[in-house]
Amino acid sequence: MSRVYIGGKLRPPSITSDHLSRRRLAERFLAAPGARLTVLRAPSGFGKTMLMAECREALAARGLRTAWLALDNGDNDASRFSTGLMAALAELGIEPPEGDGGGGEGWLALLDRLARHPTAFALFLDDFEFVSDDAVLSLVRELIQAFPPGARLVVGSRTPPDLGLGRLRAQGLLQEFDAGDLRFSGPETTEFLTRARGLRLAAEDLARLQDKTEGWPAAVRLASIALERQGEASDFVARFSGSDGAVAEYLAEDVLSAQPPERVQFLLRTSILPRLDPGLCDALHPPGGSAAILEALAAGNVLLTPDDGAYRYHSLFASFLRAQLDRRMPQEKPALHRAAARWYLAAGRAAPAIDHAIEGGDMALAADLLSQHARGFLEQGRMRLLTRWFDALDARAFEGRPELHLIRAWALCFTRGPRATGELLDATGIEADPREQIAAEARAARILVLSISDDYPAAAALAREAMDGPRLDSRYAAASLANSLATVFLGVGAFDDARRALLEVRREVGGSERQAGFSALFADATEGIIDWLEGRMRDAGARFRLALAAGRDDPLSRNGVNAWAAMLHAISLYERNDLRRAAHLFHLHLPTTRDLGLVDHTIIGHVMLSRIADGDGDADAAMGLLGELEHHAERRGLPRVAASARLERARHLMLRGHLDEAREQLRRADDPDVWRRVAALRLRANDTEYPEVGRVRLALHEGRAAEALPILRREIAAAAASGRHRRALHLRLLAGAAHHGAGEYETAAAWLERPLADAAREGAMRMILDEGEPLAEAIRAVANRRAALGAGGAARDPHFRAWLEDLTAAMAPPRRAPAGQDAPEPMLSAPIEALTPKEREVLRLLSEGLPNATIASRLGVSDSTVRTHLRSINSKLDARNRTQAVAVARRMGVLA
């Protein structure tokens, strides 16, 4: 982002001379210094930005440092948002640390620096409704949590920001202003009209205006402009209703009618523009002189807003002008859009040029522009933008342009999934195109479709053909193919083919110095995955870190490939129990990997974030993440993903003692077709997570440890025979827990000697900690009887001793029943009050692990309605949370 552009986003708006000071609101804002987050939420026209500017000035007058950052659609890119945010923080005297190291350390160091900042400050983020990207929202949530006492984030938005408001509200760290707060009171309306605008109105007219506008600031302001031109104020007040329709009617009668014809033409012609640059306006208004016209309109108070060296129309005014353009001169609208497209094209701005070409109905021009520029947008990761453009084109625009079909296929894969992409490839037949490059790239897209569809055997067969095919000219296609080759060959356990694919990466992508980073990334990541699956987790972690660092400065690695490497690094951090850094990387990159269709990353990311949330005591968030994973599986038609979500939900329920519910989730996860196919593959997400492990866990938690031993012996032998060394390590740890649970303490100690030494050598901790009490109890016994490890010398190894101390310190304390409580509390046999049909439906969806937003979508109700149902269900079932409500309902027979 350019320095000039950042500067424009950092400048707070100037408070206009006729601004009405919102003293009561500003005082309320200042009276809540303990609020870490202040949210001003209301529709357009309620004065959010001006109130934020007034509060900023009030804080500055008290000596607090403040910074301002205006957001827009472009801030849904985490890198772009971070650039603006760093610039805003620099305004506060908080400079970002040098470098990042490739693993998010720079961001985490910045958060640490924020948390230790010695003085209070306030950061204002305006127009937050533009932000919807999960990664960006995650960054803002982390920012809020890092703020020190006295620091506050102030957010203005038209919609509720997804920033964990419920938790902040419960902690007393949230201050909120809504439309009801921002409406003018009667005295404020009077003060604005009479003092700020200098109007002389009778008391009854002032009262009627307040009633009709209901204190909506935009309507009051628009009425004031109209009243300046009225001969008789009472007549206007009688006609004015204050509604949106009346505002439009006012604009027609009082603004346009007061303008000379040439200026009316200017207003209508330029209404299609989101930003009024004088040069662009001249292109749409042939008489020219746009700069002078804009200055005259601004001086005449015709609803123009300054916009960093240019202007824009007030949103209500712009909507009205566009409607008038459609009504008065509809035949000119296409030509206006084409003129705007030509101007943007001459200015070197392809994206708005394509937008205007499509809006103007010039599909041939749009197709020509896409043929020239779509590759660039593809390499930038602008998949949704490309899909929107391609959807707008008619079939004729694609004729004779197979390149556009290819780019559309890539974009579709990451926006609508593999099914839509496969249908496009089938319909166009470009895989059989006689041109070698077209057919080869289409085959690369097909391999991606198959890998995202979790069909690794079919993808592997096609991948071997691709390795013997021609070099791809498109760097994007070559990088995607390399990613697919590695993913597919690793998935089918063809490690030698995966290594061969590394050589193909260097051949396909090229050998320049700039491209060397991409090749290094791929080599380290692929070798790291092989190390991981073969149990060399420390080596794997080092490779993952190197891979991420190698891709930081390579343009080709900034989107999907870099996210792929970052997720691998996060998995390694998680295993070492570095949960903070792991969670940061998961939050930042999981949305991208999910969109890219990286199935194993998607499963692992959701599962590990769920475990982190559970460890933080947020069981609802933990289960919600698993519900999102299962919902994603349903949308994409991925049965392995759904089964993996249910397996993890079963593990979660076991740790909480809900064994009946856990058994039900295991039953739902046990899809024979899925696991028969998985057994022949080497899939990272299911290396240690599959139904047999779930059954072993359940036996351990139910006190049937001896029944788990035959399963474990069989699985350990199979893992050793197939070279699945990490799986074998995990199974041996569980075997030690099983022997301990069966009362075979000496045997348990012997079984645990080698796997504990191996885990210590590799720095592994979470594969032990995540198993909960059955394994923890066995290891505590080993820690207390170190003589059992003496034969291997591990007890004398200071590194092992330090690792074991860290491990036992990280274990949850052993569960103990409350004093005097030998049996569980009596449970209800039926609901306290009958559940309604709607509550039963909510409960059924809840039992599938779906989050509130998904339940609301399926039932066609709001999130707040779902929460109301949940409170009622918990009350009727005497449950404390959603997990317990489902368990109680099953015991009562309310749920099947």
Side-chain angles (χ1 to χ4, degrees):
M1 198 188 307
S2 72
R3 188 180 301 274
V4 172
Y5 183 66
I6 292 175
K9 290 168 70 70
L10 296 178
R11 276 197 292 272
S14 300
I15 295 179
T16 57
S17 58
D18 63 354
H19 169 69
L20 173 69
S21 174
R22 310 301 302 275
R23 288 181 296 274
R24 62 184 175 88
L25 298 179
E27 289 169 2
R28 177 176 150 194
F29 171 82
L30 295 170
R36 190 176 292 174
L37 173 65
T38 297
V39 174
L40 294 85
R41 178 175 60 86
S44 176
F46 274 85
K48 300 182 294 297
T49 298
M50 284 296 101
L51 176 57
M52 290 171 65
E54 184 176 343
C55 290
R56 189 197 69 81
E57 289 193 355
L59 289 175
R62 293 188 173 193
L64 264 72
R65 296 191 73 165
T66 66
W68 186 281
L69 180 61
L71 304 178
D72 54 47
N73 267 323
D75 288 299
N76 282 299
D77 178 274
S79 176
R80 186 180 189 271
F81 171 78
S82 296
T83 300
L85 179 64
M86 296 296 183
L89 292 175
E91 298 273 312
L92 299 170
I94 304 170
E95 295 291 341
E98 290 294 328
D100 188 348
E105 288 87 349
W107 172 257
L108 295 175
L110 174 65
L111 295 183
D112 288 338
R113 189 170 290 185
L114 266 176
R116 295 192 304 270
H117 196 66
T119 58
F121 62 84
L123 173 62
F124 290 77
L125 299 181
D126 197 16
D127 298 323
F128 201 85
E129 68 273 4
F130 284 113
V131 176
S132 59
D133 181 74
D134 288 340
V136 174
L137 291 169
S138 174
L139 290 176
V140 179
R141 292 189 204 104
E142 290 180 344
L143 192 74
I144 294 169
Q145 293 304 315
F147 270 22
R152 62 199 300 182
L153 179 69
V154 185
V155 167
S157 179
R158 296 184 186 183
T159 57
D162 185 10
L163 296 176
L165 301 187
R167 174 172 287 192
L168 291 168
R169 191 179 293 118
Q171 295 172 340
L173 299 176
L174 176 65
Q175 182 185 41
E176 297 175 273
F177 295 86
D178 61 17
D181 298 312
L182 296 172
R183 293 182 188 278
F184 281 173
S185 65
E188 284 177 324
T189 295
T190 297
E191 183 181 0
F192 175 76
L193 292 172
T194 58
R195 185 191 62 77
R197 301 293 295 167
L199 298 171
R200 302 181 65 180
L201 297 173
E204 57 269 24
D205 288 334
L206 289 167
R208 288 164 69 189
L209 267 179
Q210 173 67 14
D211 288 342
K212 290 186 175 187
T213 61
E214 296 181 347
W216 179 28
V220 175
R221 182 177 187 82
L222 294 171
S224 74
I225 297 171
L227 284 164
E228 290 178 341
R229 300 185 175 91
Q230 299 298 316
E232 179 54 55
S234 295
D235 291 343
F236 170 79
V237 172
R239 296 194 312 271
F240 188 69
S241 78
S243 67
D244 287 355
V247 168
E249 183 179 347
Y250 143 71
L251 290 167
E253 294 179 358
D254 290 271
V255 175
L256 287 190
S257 63
Q259 304 301 321
E262 180 183 332
R263 200 170 290 175
V264 171
Q265 290 287 310
F266 176 89
L267 289 167
L268 297 182
R269 287 172 176 272
T270 58
S271 65
I272 67 168
L273 303 175
R275 189 170 183 272
L276 302 170
D277 180 283
L280 175 56
C281 292
D282 281 345
L284 273 63
H285 185 64
S290 296
I293 294 174
L294 287 168
E295 289 176 6
L297 289 170
N301 201 16
V302 186
L303 296 170
L304 284 182
T305 302
D307 186 12
D308 196 22
Y311 293 95
R312 59 182 172 84
Y313 293 124
H314 187 284
S315 59
L316 290 172
F317 190 36
S319 297
F320 165 74
L321 288 176
R322 287 192 292 270
Q324 289 298 305
L325 175 65
D326 288 338
R327 184 179 308 154
R328 298 187 185 192
M329 35 202 298
Q331 72 285 353
E332 290 197 31
K333 193 171 182 181
L336 292 170
H337 279 294
R338 288 194 291 272
R342 289 191 294 270
W343 187 88
Y344 277 118
L345 188 60
R349 299 180 60 188
I354 295 169
D355 276 329
H356 281 290
I358 290 172
E359 286 290 330
D362 194 338
M363 298 304 170
L365 175 60
D368 285 342
L369 292 174
L370 280 167
S371 294
Q372 297 170 44
H373 299 284
R375 281 281 175 196
F377 288 111
L378 185 67
E379 293 194 1
Q380 294 170 24
R382 308 288 294 277
M383 305 303 183
R384 289 184 176 84
L385 180 64
L386 285 167
T387 299
R388 175 168 67 79
W389 283 335
F390 286 131
D391 285 348
L393 296 182
D394 54 34
R396 288 175 298 176
F398 290 94
E399 291 176 359
R401 302 177 192 266
E403 176 99 346
L404 291 186
H405 283 309
L406 286 172
I407 297 172
R408 187 181 195 186
W410 293 120
L412 272 180
C413 208
F414 301 132
T415 54
R416 294 189 186 146
R419 183 177 303 171
T421 311
E423 290 173 354
L424 176 67
L425 292 173
D426 292 340
T428 58
I430 52 176
E431 290 166 282
D433 194 284
R435 286 157 291 192
E436 185 180 59
Q437 276 295 313
I438 299 296
E441 186 170 344
R443 179 171 54 195
R446 178 70 74 176
I447 293 170
L448 177 63
V449 166
L450 292 170
S451 66
I452 291 176
S453 302
D454 222 18
D455 189 352
Y456 285 95
L462 205 55
R464 290 189 173 92
E465 293 181 21
M467 288 180 67
D468 297 324
R471 174 176 176 171
L472 294 174
D473 291 338
S474 163
R475 287 191 70 221
Y476 179 88
S480 179
L481 177 61
N483 195 342
S484 297
L485 291 177
T487 300
V488 167
F489 288 139
L490 290 171
V492 298
F495 293 168
D496 288 341
D497 283 334
R499 291 186 174 102
R500 182 184 164 206
L502 294 178
L503 300 177
E504 295 300 309
V505 170
R506 293 183 173 89
R507 182 173 72 88
E508 293 282 354
V509 176
S512 71
E513 183 177 347
R514 191 181 74 165
Q515 294 160 346
F518 177 79
S519 297
L521 181 157
F522 230 89
D524 282 321
T526 302
E527 289 288 0
I529 292 172
I530 295 171
D531 285 339
W532 186 266
L533 292 171
E534 293 186 343
R536 298 184 296 276
M537 288 173 277
R538 192 178 294 277
D539 289 348
R543 289 187 186 276
F544 295 155
R545 183 185 178 92
L546 289 171
L548 184 55
R552 286 178 61 216
D553 299 321
D554 182 72
L556 206 60
S557 304
R558 287 180 187 155
N559 297 303
V561 179
N562 205 41
W564 181 65
M567 289 288 285
L568 292 171
H569 184 47
I571 292 164
S572 174
L573 291 171
Y574 177 86
E575 183 57 60
R576 299 204 305 268
N577 207 33
D578 190 347
L579 302 186
R580 185 186 179 211
R581 286 199 295 163
H584 166 69
L585 289 174
F586 283 135
H587 282 303
L588 188 60
H589 296 287
L590 179 58
T592 300
T593 56
R594 187 173 54 225
D595 289 346
L596 291 174
L598 302 178
V599 178
D600 285 84
H601 272 357
T602 299
I603 295 172
I604 295 171
H606 278 88
V607 165
M608 291 185 173
L609 275 178
S610 174
R611 293 180 180 184
I612 291 170
D614 192 37
D616 289 340
D618 194 343
D620 282 353
M623 294 297 272
L625 282 159
L626 299 179
E628 289 173 9
L629 180 61
E630 194 167 3
H631 185 53
H632 173 76
E634 292 174 0
R635 285 200 320 271
R636 290 290 182 97
L638 299 170
R640 176 167 71 98
V641 176
S644 298
R646 292 161 189 158
L647 269 180
E648 178 59 21
R649 192 178 293 120
R651 190 199 67 85
H652 176 99
L653 291 165
M654 288 178 212
L655 294 177
R656 283 182 145 57
H658 302 304
L659 301 183
D660 290 342
E661 284 300 296
R663 189 179 299 106
E664 171 62 18
Q665 289 298 319
L666 282 178
R667 184 192 66 78
R668 294 183 64 217
D670 197 4
D671 184 330
D673 291 337
V674 167
W675 298 113
R676 189 181 306 113
R677 182 170 54 84
V678 168
L681 303 172
R682 298 293 296 272
L683 303 173
R684 285 172 293 115
N686 302 111
D687 187 39
T688 59
E689 300 296 331
Y690 55 102
E692 284 77 4
V693 171
R695 285 191 276 274
V696 165
R697 287 175 175 146
L698 186 61
L700 294 178
H701 281 276
E702 290 184 333
R704 299 181 289 107
E707 296 179 24
L709 289 170
I711 302 174
L712 286 164
R713 282 193 289 270
R714 183 173 66 248
E715 291 300 313
I716 289 170
S722 60
R724 300 174 190 253
H725 302 299
R726 185 170 180 274
R727 174 182 289 189
L729 171 61
H730 181 241
L731 291 168
R732 289 189 178 101
L733 289 165
L734 290 176
H739 282 293
H740 184 88
E744 302 168 3
Y745 304 123
E746 295 293 336
T747 304
W751 264 94
L752 287 171
E753 176 182 347
R754 179 182 165 189
L756 284 178
D758 290 346
R761 184 183 65 251
E762 300 302 332
M765 295 185 76
R766 289 313 311 186
M767 68 161 51
I768 296 170
L769 296 172
D770 289 345
E771 294 303 329
E773 188 61 20
L775 182 53
E777 184 180 329
I779 291 175
R780 286 194 203 97
V782 168
N784 292 331
R785 300 169 60 188
R786 289 198 175 166
L789 297 174
R796 294 188 297 274
D797 181 351
H799 297 291
F800 176 82
R801 293 205 313 271
W803 172 85
L804 188 60
E805 287 178 9
D806 289 343
L807 179 71
T808 53
M811 289 176 178
R815 291 195 303 268
R816 293 183 176 87
Q821 183 177 311
D822 298 325
E825 296 178 6
M827 296 178 294
L828 296 172
S829 59
I832 296 171
E833 181 183 340
L835 297 173
T836 66
K838 185 66 74 175
E839 288 168 349
R840 287 176 179 269
E841 181 64 11
V842 170
L843 196 56
R844 183 187 66 77
L845 295 172
L846 201 64
S847 71
E848 297 178 12
L850 300 179
N852 288 0
T854 304
I855 295 173
S857 175
R858 292 201 179 180
L859 297 179
V861 299
S862 67
D863 280 4
S864 61
T865 300
V866 172
R867 290 193 293 270
T868 300
H869 285 312
L870 291 177
R871 286 193 293 270
S872 178
I873 290 168
N874 286 339
S875 175
K876 292 178 180 181
L877 298 181
D878 195 26
R880 290 188 298 275
N881 54 48
R882 61 175 62 207
T883 303
Q884 190 178 42
V886 171
V888 171
R890 290 201 187 279
R891 286 196 298 267
M892 292 178 179
V894 175
L895 280 173

